[in-house]
């Protein structure tokens, strides 16, 4: 009886499958006049165990941010829609038939196969997974190990979201503010054309709690992580596809026909055409092969831009002041060159850093030093901080010092920039903490509690210390702030008219999922150095110490 039922269900499947095939044969898209088959991407969030460590209001804040960014991405990215429902494949087969009528079909399941696991041992619910059979020589499967789950309807991508104090989060106790892990993400499953169809994000609860009231920061973190999960990953660069010849569907896209990653000094350059064009346009350089620099750590490629060059990009490895993070044209070009997405470039932020700085800014081999301090004030030797207490800031009281001097509340609007420092002996770039008031006042922190106003194009002279600090030449650019962005403001109101999928909870034995051992066992993991290296993409907080980060990782171009 059981056998019979199985046979029936199998025949039914065959029937459904062949009718699908017929549909494809009989109604090809061009005959049916289907245009613009790319559709806005439908990312389905699946929140898992948020309440294990977050309380209700915290979980709501997290969900709200993720939901908003999903709406943003829906407008930013088009994708070749997934057949509904979305079902994820099982990687369960140990060996397949190499010949015979069941050639290519699985003959043996992996020993101890118990399901599909994302990062952090996150177990994908069976209801999201495909059936799995093994075959003998008979035409019908010998054994049904799993039947199809219900899948996820109307989705092109499923994003698993957790907030757990996993080992990478626990390493934060060993880290400085600069390298703290806020969240990390990975793709989990690839679908047709290798497009990622499932991904995983974990938010470290204590870091999340610290930043949960800073909505902009939170959303930018979410966006950064989802970009990783959608394909901005060192493990996926070489799977990117050239879809430039296919406007209507992605059926004929092949992987890029030339090496799109090339070593350049200590870095790698990403050399896909839209990226190169975006780089050329931004830096005003018409060199061919003017690729975008990806950072390395100890020679190992990472999933972030070199933030020394693409400073403030959403895909650099640290999140500075949210006002200075940009959804830059180079990152969006990379998303387009995945071949999996069509990007609506009208959402590109106006990205000011190093705009028009020329070819040498990127490919030059000169040491990042005082010479490059003039613009955009981010390249620096950053050799030391100027910390001698010199002047009481109340001297400049008439210029609204209350905002500036209240160091207790204003640290998040501080930014670190390289300014040229001249003494009677030398001249070199040094990191200073600065603040912009409006578009035209730059205040420089010259000691712990003391800030001095930069005269425009002028010099701050600290006579007693034999130091002259050269102020930025173009204060407007120096103090540039992004305008209001779609995903930061508009979507709040959009969301009130959009129903977001309700969250569901999977229950696992958490004690078995996580071993809360202390120590920094996953530290290498975080920086992408182990066998599953591709899985971790870390977004740390970096309030003011960008330059320190650069130095401590010893990045040379
Ligand atoms: C949730 O935790 C936060 C601390 O992060 C606290 O301020 C808040 O009152 C808590 N909310 C509830 C509903 O327990
Ligand atoms: C690049 O620009 C320079 C100066 O504008 C010009 O002389 C040169 O011919 C251009 N090269 C290419 C390949 O377009
Ligand atoms: C891109 O987005 C803008 C703003 O929402 C919209 O007006 C435009 O039609 C979009 N372009 C495409 C190709 O979808
Ligand atoms: C700055 O000056 C004010 C007023 O003279 C004084 O009260 C304050 O202690 C000074 N602060 C520092 C850090 O010297
Ligand atoms: C990973 O880290 C170990 C120890 O830090 C090092 O010996 C090894 O070379 C690294 N692997 C790569 C690929 O960089």
């Amino acid at each position: 009886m059981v056998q019979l039922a199985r046979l029936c269900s199998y025949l039914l499947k065959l029937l459904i499958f062949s009718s699908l095939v017929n549909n494809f044969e009989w109604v090809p898209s061009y005959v049916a006049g289907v245009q613009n088959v790319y559709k806005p991407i439908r990312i389905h969030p699946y929140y898992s165990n948020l309440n294990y460590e977050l309380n209700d209001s915290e979980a709501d804040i997290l969900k709200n941010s993720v939901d908003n960014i999903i709406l943003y991405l829906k407008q930013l990215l088009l994708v070749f829609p997934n057949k509904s429902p979305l079902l994820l494949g099982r990687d369960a087969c140990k060996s397949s038939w190499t010949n015979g009528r069941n050639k290519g079909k699985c003959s043996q399941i992996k020993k101890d196969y118990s399901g599909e696991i994302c990062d952090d041992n996150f177990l994908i619910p069976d209801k999201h997974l495909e059936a799995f059979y093994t075959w003998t020589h008979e035409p019908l499967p010998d054994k049904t190990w799993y039947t199809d789950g219900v899948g996820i309807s109307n989705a092109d991508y499923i994003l698993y979201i957790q907030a757990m104090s996993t080992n990478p989060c626990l390493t934060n106790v060993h880290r400085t503010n600069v390298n703290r892990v806020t969240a990390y993400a990975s793709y989990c499953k690839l679908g047709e054309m290798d497009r990622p169809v499932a991904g995983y994000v974990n938010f470290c609860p204590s870091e999340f709690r610290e930043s949960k009231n800073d909505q902009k920061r939170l959303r930018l973190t979410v966006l950064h992580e989802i970009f990783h999960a959608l394909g901005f990953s060192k493990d996926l660069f070489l799977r990117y596809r050239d879809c430039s010849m296919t406007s209507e569907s992605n059926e004929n896209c092949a992987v890029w026909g030339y090496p799109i990653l090339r070593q350049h000094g200590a870095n790698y350059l990403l050399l896909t055409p839209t990226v190169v064009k975006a780089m050329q346009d931004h830096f005003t350089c018409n060199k061919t092969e003017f690729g975008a620099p990806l950072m390395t750590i100890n020679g190992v490629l990472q999933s972030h831009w070199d933030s020394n060059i693409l400073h403030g990009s959403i895909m650099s490895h640290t999140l500075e002041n949210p006002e200075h993070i940009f959804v830059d044209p180079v990152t969006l070009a990379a998303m387009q060159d995945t071949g999996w997405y069509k990007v609506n470039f009208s959402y590109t932020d106006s990205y000011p850093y190093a705009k028009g700085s020329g070819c040498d800014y990127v490919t030059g081999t000169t040491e990042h030093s005082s010479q490059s301090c003039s613009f955009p004030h981010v390249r620096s030797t950053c050799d030391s901080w100027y910390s001698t207490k010199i002047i009481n800031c109340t001297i400049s009281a008439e210029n609204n010092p209350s905002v500036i001097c209240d160091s207790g509340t204003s640290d998040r609007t501080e930014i670190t920039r390289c300014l040229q420092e001249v003494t009677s002996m030398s001249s070199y770039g040094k990191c200073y903490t600065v603040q912009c008031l409006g578009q035209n006042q730059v205040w420089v922190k010259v000691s712990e509690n003391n800030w001095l106003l930069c005269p425009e194009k002028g010099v701050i002279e600290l006579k007693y210390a034999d130091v002259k600090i050269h102020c930025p030449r173009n204060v407007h650019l120096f103090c540039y702030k992004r305008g209001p962005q779609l995903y930061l403001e508009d979507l709040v109101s959009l969301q009130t008219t959009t129903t977001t999928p309700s969250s569901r909870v999977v229950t696992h034995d958490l004690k078995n999922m996580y071993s809360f051992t202390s120590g920094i066992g996953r530290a290498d993991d975080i920086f992408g150095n182990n066998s599953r290296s591709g899985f971790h993409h870390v977004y740390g907080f970096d309030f003011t110490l960008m330059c320190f980060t650069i130095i401590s990782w010893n990045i040379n171009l």
Side-chain angles (χ1 to χ4, degrees):
M1 207 48 214
V2 173
Q3 284 297 347
L4 193 62
R6 204 177 279 159
L7 180 69
C8 286
S9 100
Y10 181 69
L11 287 178
L12 188 66
K13 266 196 197 104
L14 273 183
L15 199 65
I16 292 169
F17 180 68
S18 58
S19 72
L20 274 177
V21 169
N22 280 343
N23 269 342
F24 263 90
E25 281 173 4
W26 289 103
V27 195
S29 59
Y30 60 89
V31 173
V34 177
Q35 297 288 320
N36 296 324
V37 293
Y38 280 85
K39 294 273 192 278
I41 188 167
R42 299 160 301 170
I43 298 175
H44 183 95
Y46 186 96
Y47 300 100
S48 167
N49 294 312
L50 285 193
N51 290 99
Y52 189 73
E53 292 189 54
L54 303 182
N55 69 27
D56 284 352
S57 61
E58 291 167 339
D60 282 348
I61 290 170
L62 180 53
K63 283 186 207 163
N64 181 277
S65 301
V66 173
D67 291 348
N68 271 273
I69 292 301
I70 286 174
L71 285 172
Y72 167 70
L73 288 166
K74 197 169 186 172
Q75 301 179 59
L76 180 73
L77 301 178
L78 301 179
V79 74
F80 192 66
N82 219 79
K83 288 188 207 84
S84 197
L86 173 62
L87 271 175
L88 307 176
R90 288 182 185 270
D91 180 24
C93 187
K94 178 158 185 262
S95 52
S96 303
W97 292 104
T98 53
N99 50 35
R101 61 147 61 107
N102 286 332
K103 186 173 174 183
K105 288 178 178 162
C106 191
S107 63
Q108 199 183 358
I109 192 169
K110 282 179 182 165
K111 193 164 171 273
D112 299 332
Y113 177 80
S114 59
E116 295 297 315
I117 300 224
C118 269
D119 210 356
D120 286 334
N121 293 325
F122 177 84
L123 193 60
I124 297 179
D126 276 340
K127 64 186 172 186
H128 295 167
L129 293 167
E130 280 177 354
F132 187 77
Y133 311 98
T134 46
W135 275 264
T136 59
H137 291 288
E138 300 303 318
L140 292 177
D142 170 57
K143 183 155 183 184
T144 300
W145 295 85
Y146 298 91
T147 53
D148 273 344
V150 291
I152 309 113
S153 51
N154 302 316
D156 302 304
Y157 191 96
I158 177 145
L159 183 68
Y160 299 106
I161 300 135
Q162 292 204 122
M164 305 284 282
S165 296
T166 55
N167 283 340
C169 303
L170 295 174
T171 62
N172 280 338
V173 296
H174 301 280
R175 291 169 184 276
T176 61
N177 264 349
V178 181
N179 282 333
R180 298 256 298 266
V181 180
T182 308
Y184 52 91
S186 64
Y187 72 92
C188 300
K189 289 279 176 193
L190 304 180
E192 271 178 48
M193 298 282 153
D194 287 341
R195 177 172 71 76
V197 290
Y200 168 85
V201 182
N202 186 54
F203 291 86
C204 295
S206 47
E207 279 62 34
F208 167 77
R209 206 160 277 131
E210 271 173 33
S211 66
K212 69 181 194 305
N213 295 325
D214 187 344
Q215 204 174 66
K216 288 184 180 178
R217 176 179 295 276
L218 191 55
R219 289 190 185 172
L220 287 166
T221 305
V222 171
L223 181 59
H224 175 100
E225 299 305 342
I226 299 184
F227 271 149
H228 278 315
L230 287 177
F232 196 99
S233 163
K234 62 182 184 319
D235 296 326
L236 293 175
F237 292 139
L238 295 181
R239 294 178 188 259
Y240 285 7
R241 286 169 185 259
D242 177 4
C243 294
S244 54
M245 308 308 279
T246 57
S247 57
E248 288 204 349
S249 81
N250 64 356
E251 274 166 36
N252 297 314
C253 312
V255 292
W256 291 96
Y258 61 92
I260 60 165
L261 279 179
R262 201 164 304 162
Q263 206 153 6
H264 176 81
N267 279 343
Y268 283 85
L269 297 180
L270 182 63
L271 286 158
T272 51
T274 319
V275 168
V276 169
K277 178 76 169 50
M279 287 290 291
Q280 290 172 333
D281 289 351
H282 183 73
F283 291 98
T284 318
C285 168
N286 63 4
K287 270 192 197 160
T288 57
E289 309 196 345
F290 191 63
L294 288 157
M295 70 180 287
T296 56
I297 293 176
N298 300 326
V300 181
L301 176 66
Q302 303 294 306
S303 303
H304 294 125
W305 300 127
D306 178 354
S307 52
N308 213 10
I309 307 276
L310 291 171
H311 186 74
S313 161
I314 182 74
M315 293 320 286
S316 77
H317 70 284
T318 47
L319 177 58
E320 244 200 306
N321 178 347
E323 299 298 332
H324 296 88
I325 295 288
F326 303 90
V327 181
D328 61 286
V330 182
T331 298
L332 291 187
M335 294 310 280
Q336 172 91 3
D337 282 344
T338 61
W340 304 315
Y341 311 107
K342 301 264 183 240
V343 175
N344 186 335
F345 286 98
S346 68
Y347 291 124
T348 314
D349 283 345
S350 151
Y351 176 56
Y353 285 110
K355 195 167 172 58
S357 299
C359 304
D360 285 350
Y361 189 86
V362 177
T363 54
T365 51
T366 48
E367 183 97 347
H368 301 156
S369 66
S370 55
Q371 281 73 19
S372 44
C373 255
S374 55
F375 182 81
H377 306 274
V378 292
R379 292 186 147 197
S380 166
T381 52
C382 296
D383 42 1
S384 64
W385 292 82
Y386 194 80
S387 59
T388 319
K389 191 168 183 172
I390 303 155
I391 296 171
N392 189 330
C393 63
T394 54
I395 285 171
S396 305
E398 70 270 20
N399 289 310
N400 189 11
S402 58
V403 181
I404 297 294
C405 295
D406 182 359
S407 58
T409 60
S410 63
D411 58 339
R412 287 208 175 166
T413 60
E414 295 174 7
I415 49 180
T416 302
R417 289 292 175 267
C418 174
L419 295 175
Q420 189 161 13
E421 182 176 296
V422 181
T423 69
S424 54
M425 305 295 292
S426 59
S427 163
Y428 50 95
K430 225 174 201 183
C431 293
Y432 279 93
T433 301
V434 301
Q435 285 196 26
C436 290
L437 260 199
Q439 290 290 309
N440 47 29
Q441 283 189 16
V442 178
W443 291 78
V444 181
K445 189 177 190 175
V446 293
S447 72
E448 192 47 45
N449 296 306
N450 301 316
W451 295 78
L452 290 180
L453 177 65
C454 248
E456 192 163 3
K457 294 178 187 157
V459 170
I460 292 177
E461 204 167 346
L462 310 175
K463 288 197 175 118
Y464 32 76
D466 177 31
V467 164
K468 287 178 186 167
I469 302 166
H470 284 253
C471 290
R473 286 179 216 161
N474 186 334
V475 175
H476 179 74
L477 278 172
F478 186 84
C479 293
Y480 178 92
K481 284 192 179 188
R482 60 190 297 139
Q485 295 302 306
L486 176 80
Y487 60 95
L488 293 177
E489 274 87 16
D490 301 0
L491 289 180
V492 178
S493 51
L494 240 184
Q495 200 187 26
T496 59
T497 58
T498 311
T499 53
T500 48
S502 62
S503 63
R504 288 179 260 166
V505 172
V506 289
T507 49
H508 294 303
D509 183 350
L510 292 164
K511 285 202 190 81
N512 287 334
M513 283 175 67
Y514 298 103
S515 53
F516 287 90
T517 51
S518 61
I520 53 170
R522 297 288 293 267
D524 275 349
D525 222 7
I526 289 176
F527 293 109
N529 176 3
N530 78 355
S531 57
R532 296 183 72 204
S533 58
F535 275 102
H536 278 96
H537 305 303
V538 173
Y539 209 21
F541 277 171
D542 181 5
F543 295 122
T544 56
L545 300 175
M546 196 71 188
C547 292
F548 272 3
T549 314
I550 291 167
I551 280 300
S552 66
W553 288 356
N554 195 20
I555 294 164
N556 307 304
L557 191 72

